Amino acid sequence: MKIFVNLVCSLCLCCLAFFAQAETPLQQHSIVFGVHSKTAPLEWRNNGVDQGFNLELMDRIGQLTNKRIVIRRKTFQQLLTDVHDPYSPIDVIAVVSPITIDRALSQSDPIYATHAKAYTLQGKSFINGWADLVGKRVAIKKGAFVDVYISGKQQDFTRVDVDLYETGFQLLIKGEVDVVIAENFVARRLMPLYPSIRSSSDPLIYGAFNFVSNYNNAPLMAQINDALRQLKLSGEYDRLVNKWFGTGREKVDLNSAQKRMLSLAIFVSLLSAIGMLLTGYMSLSLRKRSKSLKIELAQRKKAEQAISKLSKQFQSVLDGIPHGVTLFNQDGECLWSNDNNNDLLSNPDFHYIDGQAFELKQALSDALTAQKSQITDMQIDNQYWQMQLHPIIDKQVVILLEQTTEQHRLRQANDEASRLASLGELSAGVAHEINNPTGIIIHSIAFISDALRDLSEASSQYQKQNPFWTIAGMAPDSAIDELDLSSQSINEGAERISRIVNDLKHYARPTLTNDYQPTCLNDVVEVSLRLTANQTKIFNVTTELMSPAPVVMGDAQQLHQVLINLIQNACHAIRQDADCYECNEHINITTTVEDNHICLIVTDQGVGMDRATLQRITEPFFTTRRSSGGTGLGLSVCSRIIKEHKADMQITSRLGKGTVIKIRFPLDY
């Protein structure tokens, strides 16, 4: 097996050596012409058959030089690489070279003149020169004569390299480039395939077709040039030009054309330089202007942000205030509102405090006519509001609504307090006047009591003498007893009047430090029940009094006042509850000792109180019975007296279940 492999390798090496030796004479009698059927200038392939000016011209050159023409097709970039390689099998390629720049290769005489122009989409502006390309995206075919021309020069546009002019046209349609700079003949062939593309400039670069080859093929290039000159002198060159380009049979003097084009190119370059200078100056001015505009724009944006932030803050403030704020025009149209209670303005029950109906349009008209701010008090149901109308510019009015129900009630309470204060001062004077006749009654009843004791014995003696004698229709003994009881009642009533007057005088005087005495709490309960007997007689009142009776340090009269007030409140609570009359126990009063405190507890089975009422029950002038004459001062005064006795009051209540009030006195008394 190893011998067989060695034999095959030896045969292969022999074949390679044979072909290597045979290639040299073939190369000496042929010209390898590199072309690209899709992109090489003046070359086409029709139904797989190679055609074109260069192919026919090369065939004639081959006949004149007695060499066979061999065609090799590669990409344009591969052809450029091969022609620079001295060992490449490609001998000659046809390319366009700028008329002002020679390629670093062996070149033939000019074959045909051409130029490159700018191509854009239909509707784009005309391009007058290189200066119009500043800032644009420009497609350039890599290695083409446009690439050779701009190499080493300043490029103020964005260059996009492409392998084919057709690739540049496709990018132009996609919007990925703005301009394509293409050789004229190739562009003319491609434009029918891309109808949305048009020529948009005069020639920007002039060039000429040449055959180029590596410098190692300089002798071959000399033969090609001799053949070209023979074809031009014989007129056959003109016939080929006319066949493929239809330009007539006249000769093209490329040397003179080259000079004219060079002059034109120099002129165009000068114009381009001037244009570039002007463009640079204008660009510098525009950059300065743009910079100042950017600064101004930034300042404006900053100011707008500040204004927007302030506007939002102002808006949030307006939306957050509890009062209604509404902006109207003269026709009554709402221009802006914070939607707080502004529906009142269209409510038919919303009226002036004096009862006059409120009309929005009339109020707006009056404010605009007077051009003065107006402040009025309004009412709806049991709520009170203050309405302010402020006329502003452009015949607009701002209406502010503020609820003043609490302020109104406070004013009423203040008026009531003033009236009660006046009544208190008057009562103090009346009390002084009442004390005089009360003193006379007490003094007189004491005299009558003493007289009755003396008359009792005389009555007994007189009755013996006159058995039918009566006093006021009654037996003398019964009459004397009834008179004695009446005098005691009159004395107790007078003393009660005196105590009440003294309490009233004491209440009217400024509060002074009290000299409290040991006071029996059970006695306070009994006295208070006697004083409220007329009110409690229709209720079932029970007591649970502790024994031995608890004693507290305090003022008995003030404690009477506290308990009497609590009993009266319990009676009022039960009167409001008709079903409670069926209960066996309406009011219960208890004295006891709990948790190191002496407690006085008043329990009723009345209507009870809700949480909101419980929170305000001891506030001055707060009452749920104002319509029936309540002043709201009872529990407020009781609370003050209890605090002065260093005690506290606990109130628990449930609607429909009743109320429990517990007064706790310190046990260390």
Side-chain angles (χ1 to χ4, degrees):
M1 185 68 180
K2 183 176 181 182
I3 298 172
F4 176 77
V5 172
N6 292 333
L7 179 60
V8 171
C9 291
S10 300
L11 289 174
C12 290
L13 291 173
C14 291
C15 291
L16 290 174
F18 172 80
F19 284 111
Q21 292 175 357
E23 187 176 0
T24 302
L26 179 63
Q27 288 179 341
Q28 292 176 353
H29 296 89
S30 64
I31 301 176
V32 181
F33 185 40
V35 299
H36 194 297
S37 61
K38 293 184 178 179
T39 63
L42 315 179
E43 298 298 323
W44 292 268
R45 175 178 285 186
N46 188 11
N47 296 326
V49 179
D50 295 330
Q51 299 179 19
F53 174 81
N54 284 333
L55 293 181
E56 284 200 31
L57 182 61
M58 202 67 196
D59 283 341
R60 290 296 295 130
I61 292 173
Q63 294 172 9
L64 293 175
T65 59
N66 196 25
K67 292 181 182 291
R68 185 168 66 89
I69 302 300
V70 180
I71 303 299
R72 293 287 184 268
R73 296 193 174 276
K74 294 186 178 183
T75 65
F76 183 73
Q77 281 72 22
Q78 288 175 338
L79 292 174
L80 288 177
T81 301
D82 287 342
V83 81
H84 285 84
D85 184 5
Y87 302 103
S88 171
I90 301 298
D91 297 322
V92 179
I93 65 172
V95 295
V96 180
S97 297
I99 61 175
T100 59
I101 300 175
D102 292 330
R103 292 182 181 269
L105 295 168
S106 179
Q107 297 186 126
S108 69
D109 293 336
I111 300 173
Y112 198 81
T114 185
H115 59 268
K117 296 193 295 185
Y119 293 85
T120 63
L121 293 175
Q122 297 283 356
K124 298 297 181 179
S125 59
F126 191 82
I127 296 175
N128 294 302
W130 291 97
D132 291 343
L133 299 179
V134 174
K136 297 184 183 297
R137 297 168 298 174
V138 182
I140 303 294
K141 181 179 176 181
K142 186 67 175 177
F145 85 111
V146 178
D147 183 16
V148 175
Y149 177 79
I150 66 174
S151 295
K153 296 184 179 180
Q154 181 179 357
Q155 301 173 18
D156 295 328
F157 53 83
T158 301
R159 172 175 171 163
V160 179
D161 290 331
V162 295
D163 58 339
L164 308 172
Y165 289 126
E166 188 172 9
T167 304
F169 278 28
Q170 292 171 355
L171 295 178
L172 183 62
I173 291 175
K174 294 179 182 178
E176 296 180 11
V177 297
D178 303 311
V179 180
V180 177
I181 299 181
E183 189 273 331
N184 177 53
F185 286 104
V186 178
R188 284 171 57 186
R189 177 169 60 84
L190 293 175
M191 286 177 66
L193 305 177
Y194 301 93
S196 61
I197 296 176
R198 69 177 179 91
S199 170
S200 60
S201 76
D202 293 328
L204 298 176
I205 306 172
Y206 290 92
F209 288 110
N210 299 86
F211 292 127
V212 298
S213 177
N214 194 275
Y215 276 111
N216 291 340
N217 293 327
L220 176 62
M221 189 58 67
Q223 296 177 21
I224 292 174
N225 279 333
D226 289 339
L228 279 174
R229 290 164 189 159
Q230 292 179 34
L231 292 172
K232 291 178 181 178
L233 291 173
S234 66
E236 190 172 356
Y237 174 84
D238 291 339
R239 286 192 298 273
L240 288 176
V241 170
N242 184 55
K243 175 182 177 181
W244 288 100
F245 306 122
T247 58
R249 300 179 58 82
E250 66 275 11
K251 279 190 174 184
V252 179
D253 186 357
L254 293 179
N255 290 326
S256 60
Q258 182 176 2
K259 293 179 181 179
R260 289 194 300 271
M261 290 181 181
L262 179 58
S263 301
L264 181 60
I266 293 173
F267 177 72
V268 171
S269 299
L270 290 174
L271 290 178
S272 298
I274 295 173
M276 291 178 66
L277 290 175
L278 291 174
T279 303
Y281 174 75
M282 294 177 63
S283 177
L284 181 61
S285 300
L286 288 175
R287 281 198 293 269
K288 290 182 179 179
R289 179 59 179 166
S290 299
K291 185 176 181 180
S292 62
L293 287 176
K294 286 182 180 179
I295 295 174
E296 183 179 355
L297 182 61
Q299 292 175 347
R300 288 188 179 183
K301 186 177 291 186
K302 186 177 181 181
E304 289 176 358
Q305 291 175 350
I307 293 173
S308 177
K309 181 179 180 181
L310 182 61
S311 177
K312 290 179 180 178
Q313 291 175 344
F314 183 67
Q315 181 69 39
S316 61
V317 169
L318 290 177
D319 291 339
I321 61 176
H323 312 314
V325 182
T326 310
L327 178 63
F328 291 95
N329 61 13
Q330 61 181 351
D331 298 325
E333 297 178 352
C334 178
L335 304 179
W336 181 89
S337 173
N338 67 348
D339 298 327
N340 288 338
N341 306 310
N342 296 312
D343 54 337
L344 294 175
L345 299 174
S346 58
N347 194 319
D349 296 331
F350 192 61
H351 57 83
Y352 292 99
I353 198 169
D354 58 1
Q356 183 181 355
F358 171 73
E359 292 290 339
L360 177 60
K361 288 189 176 181
Q362 184 62 42
L364 295 174
S365 177
D366 294 342
L368 289 171
T369 302
Q371 284 297 308
K372 291 183 179 179
S373 298
Q374 300 179 9
I375 301 177
T376 56
D377 291 325
M378 311 296 291
Q379 184 179 358
I380 179 171
D381 298 332
N382 293 324
Q383 294 181 351
Y384 295 89
W385 298 80
Q386 184 184 81
M387 182 177 66
Q388 302 181 28
L389 291 86
H390 302 283
I392 58 177
I393 59 173
D394 297 331
K395 297 183 179 179
Q396 297 174 357
V397 177
V398 174
I399 296 183
L400 306 179
L401 281 176
E402 179 182 0
Q403 188 175 20
T404 58
T405 303
E406 190 65 24
Q407 293 91 322
H408 184 80
R409 289 175 180 173
L410 287 175
R411 284 198 298 270
Q412 289 181 331
N414 184 58
D415 295 340
E416 183 72 15
S418 299
R419 185 179 65 81
L420 290 175
S422 300
L423 181 61
E425 294 179 0
L426 181 63
S427 299
V430 172
H432 178 72
E433 296 299 328
I434 292 175
N435 263 341
N436 292 331
T438 302
I440 294 174
I441 292 172
I442 293 174
H443 184 270
S444 298
I445 202 65
F447 175 75
I448 292 173
S449 297
D450 292 341
L452 285 175
R453 285 193 295 271
D454 294 339
L455 290 174
S456 177
E457 296 179 2
S459 173
S460 299
Q461 295 297 327
Y462 185 73
Q463 186 178 13
K464 292 177 180 179
Q465 297 176 5
N466 187 3
F468 301 100
W469 177 55
T470 61
I471 301 176
M474 299 175 62
D477 292 339
S478 298
I480 291 297
D481 292 339
E482 188 67 27
L483 286 172
D484 185 58
L485 182 61
S486 297
S487 64
Q488 292 179 6
S489 298
I490 292 172
N491 185 62
E492 289 179 359
E495 289 179 350
R496 179 182 174 187
I497 292 173
S498 178
R499 287 196 301 270
I500 292 173
V501 169
N502 289 333
D503 289 342
L504 184 61
K505 291 172 66 178
H506 178 74
Y507 183 77
R509 292 197 303 268
T511 303
L512 301 175
T513 304
N514 294 309
D515 184 14
Y516 294 147
Q517 301 293 329
T519 303
C520 178
L521 202 56
N522 289 353
D523 291 344
V524 172
V525 174
E526 292 173 353
V527 173
S528 299
L529 286 174
R530 286 198 301 271
L531 294 177
T532 57
N534 187 57
Q535 294 173 292
T536 60
K537 62 185 178 182
I538 63 175
F539 302 109
N540 182 14
V541 180
T542 60
T543 59
E544 298 179 14
L545 304 180
M546 180 181 178
S547 180
V551 177
V552 298
M553 296 296 293
D555 183 276
Q557 303 294 336
Q558 290 183 345
L559 295 178
H560 291 158
Q561 181 180 355
V562 170
L563 187 54
I564 289 171
N565 191 279
L566 296 181
I567 294 172
Q568 289 175 339
N569 286 346
C571 293
H572 288 303
I574 296 173
R575 283 173 182 165
Q576 296 174 12
D577 188 5
D579 296 336
C580 194
Y581 288 112
E582 299 177 2
C583 301
N584 294 326
E585 182 179 298
H586 293 160
I587 301 173
N588 177 265
I589 302 175
T590 303
T591 58
T592 184
V593 175
E594 294 180 358
D595 299 331
N596 296 324
H597 288 85
I598 298 174
C599 299
L600 172 62
I601 305 172
V602 180
T603 305
D604 70 71
Q605 295 181 349
V607 295
M609 294 175 285
D610 57 21
R611 182 177 298 179
T613 303
L614 277 175
Q615 291 176 347
R616 303 185 60 189
I617 194 67
T618 59
E619 291 182 11
F621 308 112
F622 175 79
T623 179
T624 59
R625 299 186 297 105
R626 193 173 299 278
S627 59
S628 59
T631 62
L633 291 174
L635 282 178
S636 175
V637 174
C638 291
S639 177
R640 176 182 59 81
I641 293 174
I642 291 171
K643 289 179 180 178
E644 289 177 353
H645 282 73
K646 301 186 183 305
D648 63 73
M649 179 169 58
Q650 298 177 348
I651 304 175
T652 58
S653 182
R654 293 179 60 190
L655 286 174
K657 299 296 183 180
T659 303
V660 177
I661 300 179
K662 180 187 293 186
I663 302 174
R664 305 192 311 165
F665 297 90
L667 189 61
D668 56 358
Y669 278 157

